Amino acid sequence: MLISNRVKNLNPYVPGEQPKDRVYIKLNANENPYAPSPKVQKAVMDFVQNHPEKLGLYPDPDSLELHAAIADMLNKCGGVLCRAQVNGDEVQPAPEDKIPFTVTPDMIYTGNGSDEVLSFVFYAFFDSSAKFVMPQFTYSFYPVYAGFYNIPMDQVPLKEDWSLDVDEMLSRAGRNGGGIIFANPNAPTSLGLTREQVRQMIKKASPDEIFIVDEAYVDFGGESCIPLLAEFKNLVIVRTFSKSLCGAGQRLGYIVANPELVNIVTTVKNSVNHFPLDAVAQVSGTAACRDLPYYVETSRKVAETRDDFYNFLKEKGFYVLKSQTNFLFARHPSIAGDELYKSVKEHGYLIRHFNTPGIEEFVRITVGTAEQMSGLKKIFEEIIQ
């Protein structure tokens, strides 16, 4: 059989377990436990019922209405939903999150989930001629794309407290000349850098190297780096609807960057698929951006439930990192990570266990509803004596 060497050498991403043998409470894939806004549901139903002919037509290839809605959303919430202030139908950013300029639609690029967006970003800004820098433990799709595009990578170990080794990352980036990418807050560790820490990193990096910050989880308590776009032309921020906007099934991701970089990624997109976002996804994404009070509330509920479960894990003797995300990264001295995962699964819950050396004793627990986490507490009480 004729198979290219590229395919033979691929190491595909492994998503969180998607069982088909029984129904589980899924706390293993960092999905949002809440349904999309009722206004999103209505917008989708209205579109399908009242404009079915549009399902037979190509959608807007540039997603212009959606881009305008995303820009407006970011200006109103400051890029961090859980701290935004709601007054009736109006939303304002927390003082520390206010963006010191107006995000405009030409600063937005959207794609079919942030995974596709990341793929195009890798193709656009990383090159086979130089290693890019990434943390050793971070989103596991980064090395997949490195292999897919034959881009050499330099993985920097985390510090003993599981935070990013900023100095070492900068040192290696300076030697390699290939750019930097990391998730902030990071996955699976749940820890984040402050905006000022990221600012100091970019100041020390070469302005000719791309600096990519993946903010998939920032709405649950991190600090968005969008304000830094006014200062740095080499910064690209990747974000998603899958987490805080309850939209993992919608497959919507986007970048926020200076228009010149947005145009470069758009060129990549148009060389692969001129119509990456279907019409329903554009409608649902636009409606989500226009119902910010709902998503501020759900993000805040997730953050509050997370902090409550963090305290519970501490009381049960877990070593658990202080999360800024919608998940917790924890290990227990008396039970191995794979054993804990299996025991919890037997009780009808799924959490994530990684077989990766160095983090094999940890589990990653997605934050569900208060009721779901209460049920998981009871399971842990039974398992861990």
Side-chain angles (χ1 to χ4, degrees):
M1 182 180 295
L2 296 178
I3 302 175
S4 72
N5 288 329
R6 293 190 301 273
V7 173
K8 292 178 183 178
N9 294 325
L10 289 181
N11 293 295
Y13 173 75
V14 179
E17 187 176 2
Q18 303 286 340
K20 298 178 175 60
D21 57 329
R22 60 176 284 191
V23 176
Y24 291 89
I25 293 177
K26 287 182 78 271
L27 302 178
N28 68 326
N30 292 348
E31 297 151 317
N32 198 303
Y34 299 102
S37 155
K39 293 182 180 179
V40 171
Q41 300 173 44
K42 183 178 185 302
V44 171
M45 293 298 294
D46 287 349
F47 178 79
V48 174
Q49 291 176 351
N50 299 325
H51 302 283
E53 75 284 355
K54 291 189 177 181
L55 296 177
L57 303 175
Y58 287 117
D60 175 7
D62 298 313
S63 304
L64 294 179
E65 186 176 7
L66 176 59
H67 290 189
I70 292 172
D72 185 57
M73 171 191 69
L74 295 173
N75 290 322
K76 288 179 177 177
C77 75
V80 182
L81 284 170
C82 77
R83 284 196 296 270
Q85 302 167 353
V86 179
N87 184 12
D89 293 332
E90 298 298 318
V91 172
Q92 292 183 330
E96 64 268 35
D97 297 320
K98 184 173 176 58
I99 300 170
F101 58 88
T102 299
V103 178
T104 53
D106 62 352
M107 298 175 65
I108 307 296
Y109 166 85
T110 50
N112 186 14
S114 63
D115 289 335
E116 182 190 72
V117 171
L118 283 165
S119 174
F120 292 164
V121 165
F122 266 68
Y123 189 90
F125 301 118
F126 293 148
D127 197 86
S128 59
S129 62
K131 291 182 180 180
F132 73 92
V133 169
M134 59 175 280
Q136 179 184 9
F137 298 117
T138 188
Y139 185 32
S140 52
F141 227 136
Y142 301 161
V144 172
Y145 285 136
F148 188 80
Y149 293 120
N150 194 30
I151 304 168
M153 60 184 176
D154 191 352
Q155 295 178 283
V156 178
L158 301 182
K159 299 168 98 173
E160 289 187 4
D161 63 357
W162 300 97
S163 64
L164 301 187
D165 191 336
V166 170
D167 291 337
E168 183 62 19
M169 290 177 68
L170 284 173
S171 175
R172 296 196 192 185
R175 294 198 301 268
N176 298 335
I180 291 177
I181 186 172
F182 60 90
N184 192 48
N186 194 30
T189 61
S190 79
L191 303 179
L193 299 176
T194 67
R195 185 183 305 115
E196 183 57 27
Q197 286 177 302
V198 177
R199 180 176 180 271
Q200 292 302 322
M201 284 184 73
I202 307 177
K203 281 184 64 177
K204 296 175 183 177
S206 168
D208 296 326
E209 295 170 12
I210 199 71
F211 204 100
I212 300 166
V213 180
D214 185 347
E215 293 190 345
Y217 301 100
V218 74
D219 277 319
F220 300 105
E223 292 188 16
S224 177
C225 291
I226 292 175
L228 301 181
L229 290 170
E231 188 175 354
F232 301 106
K233 301 298 184 183
N234 59 333
L235 173 62
V236 174
I237 297 169
V238 181
R239 297 175 64 107
T240 182
F241 279 64
S242 296
K243 314 304 178 183
S244 57
L245 292 173
C246 311
Q250 298 173 54
R251 308 312 305 133
L252 277 172
Y254 63 100
I255 67 171
V256 192
N258 286 289
E260 302 83 26
L261 300 186
V262 168
N263 289 337
I264 292 170
V265 178
T266 302
T267 297
V268 175
K269 181 265 289 187
N270 287 339
S271 302
V272 177
N273 180 4
H274 194 47
F275 301 99
L277 288 185
D278 68 71
V280 177
Q282 293 188 41
V283 167
S284 63
T286 300
C289 292
R290 292 173 177 168
D291 193 13
L292 275 184
Y294 177 87
Y295 293 103
V296 170
E297 179 186 2
T298 53
S299 296
R300 193 168 290 158
K301 284 195 292 188
V302 168
E304 291 171 352
T305 304
R306 173 201 66 208
D307 292 344
D308 175 76
F309 201 76
Y310 169 86
N311 292 331
F312 167 80
L313 291 176
K314 295 282 285 186
E315 292 169 2
K316 294 300 296 181
F318 278 85
Y319 172 79
V320 56
L321 303 186
K322 185 61 174 174
S323 174
Q324 295 177 319
T325 66
N326 68 334
F327 61 86
L328 292 153
F329 194 58
R331 69 184 180 208
H332 198 277
S334 67
I335 182 169
D338 62 338
E339 293 180 15
L340 182 59
Y341 152 76
K342 291 175 184 176
S343 296
V344 169
K345 185 176 180 179
E346 290 174 358
H347 287 77
Y349 276 65
L350 290 179
I351 58 177
R352 187 81 186 264
H353 173 255
F354 299 90
N355 291 316
T356 309
I359 57 172
E360 67 273 16
E361 295 306 326
F362 282 86
V363 292
R364 192 194 67 193
I365 305 164
T366 302
V367 177
T369 64
E371 293 74 19
Q372 289 171 337
M373 303 312 287
S374 177
L376 188 57
K377 284 180 183 179
K378 293 177 182 178
I379 295 170
F380 278 10
E381 293 281 7
E382 179 178 334
I383 294 173
I384 301 169
Q385 302 297 325

